[in-house]
Amino acid sequence: MLNVGQIEEGFVLDHIDAGKSLKIYHDLKLDKLDCTVAIIKNAKSNKMGKKDILKVECDINILDLDILGFIDHKITVNVIKDGELVEKKKLHLPKEIKNVIKCKNPRCITSIEQELTHIFVLADKEKELYRCKYCEEAYTGK
């Protein structure tokens, strides 16, 4: 039996698709922080069959909900303070994301002007489709 202790302050990311926790770990840049992180892969789930869970003990304000919503807006964010669950945050697809993905269009201004911010705007919520702000190149994360 695996035993992962409770955290005093931080967040627990639950309902992550099985096998995707390490990608989220890197996308949120948790590897750059000096905090305790527990990655639980392939945990049993009645709802999903298998799921991943991330437990992070650090200031909740470091969590970028837009990046997380872009990665997978079905993830549950549980906020922990003083060892207790104080809030469950629902994620949504962000209207705009900056410097999360890069435009793949070789003619886009972002491939020439390296210092430009890579901005993608939500173009179709149903299809979860984003478009580059500069060249309109389409991107779906799915």
Side-chain angles (χ1 to χ4, degrees), residues 30 88 96:
L30 296 175
K88 283 190 177 221
E96 182 178 275

Side-chain angles (χ1 to χ4, degrees), residues 12-25 28 38-43 45 48 50-55 68 71-72 74-76:
V12 177
L13 304 180
D14 198 359
H15 302 108
I16 300 170
D17 288 335
K20 294 199 175 173
S21 58
L22 204 53
K23 179 180 179 349
I24 291 171
Y25 174 81
L28 293 176
I39 299 174
I40 303 163
K41 291 182 64 173
N42 298 317
S45 169
M48 300 173 70
K50 286 184 178 180
K51 67 180 179 180
D52 287 359
I53 303 168
L54 273 172
K55 292 178 82 172
L68 202 53
I71 295 168
D72 186 352
K74 294 178 287 293
I75 293 172
T76 305

Side-chain angles (χ1 to χ4, degrees), residues 12-109:
V12 177
L13 304 180
D14 198 359
H15 302 108
I16 300 170
D17 288 335
K20 294 199 175 173
S21 58
L22 204 53
K23 179 180 179 349
I24 291 171
Y25 174 81
H26 289 291
D27 287 345
L28 293 176
K29 296 180 178 39
L30 296 175
D31 54 331
K32 308 278 190 250
L33 299 176
D34 185 25
C35 60
T36 303
V37 179
I39 299 174
I40 303 163
K41 291 182 64 173
N42 298 317
K44 290 180 186 173
S45 169
N46 293 333
K47 185 176 171 182
M48 300 173 70
K50 286 184 178 180
K51 67 180 179 180
D52 287 359
I53 303 168
L54 273 172
K55 292 178 82 172
V56 184
E57 188 157 26
C58 68
D59 183 4
I60 183 64
N61 295 318
I62 65 104
L63 182 62
D64 187 335
L65 294 177
D66 281 347
I67 291 175
L68 202 53
F70 171 73
I71 295 168
D72 186 352
H73 59 278
K74 294 178 287 293
I75 293 172
T76 305
V77 179
N78 299 303
V79 180
I80 311 294
K81 289 195 179 177
D82 298 321
E84 299 291 326
L85 174 65
V86 294
E87 183 180 4
K88 283 190 177 221
K89 291 183 181 258
K90 289 282 186 185
L91 298 175
H92 62 279
L93 286 171
K95 291 182 172 126
E96 182 178 275
I97 54 171
K98 295 180 180 178
N99 291 327
V100 177
I101 53 175
K102 294 185 181 208
C103 187
K104 296 176 183 170
N105 181 354
R107 293 180 303 249
C108 182
I109 189 72

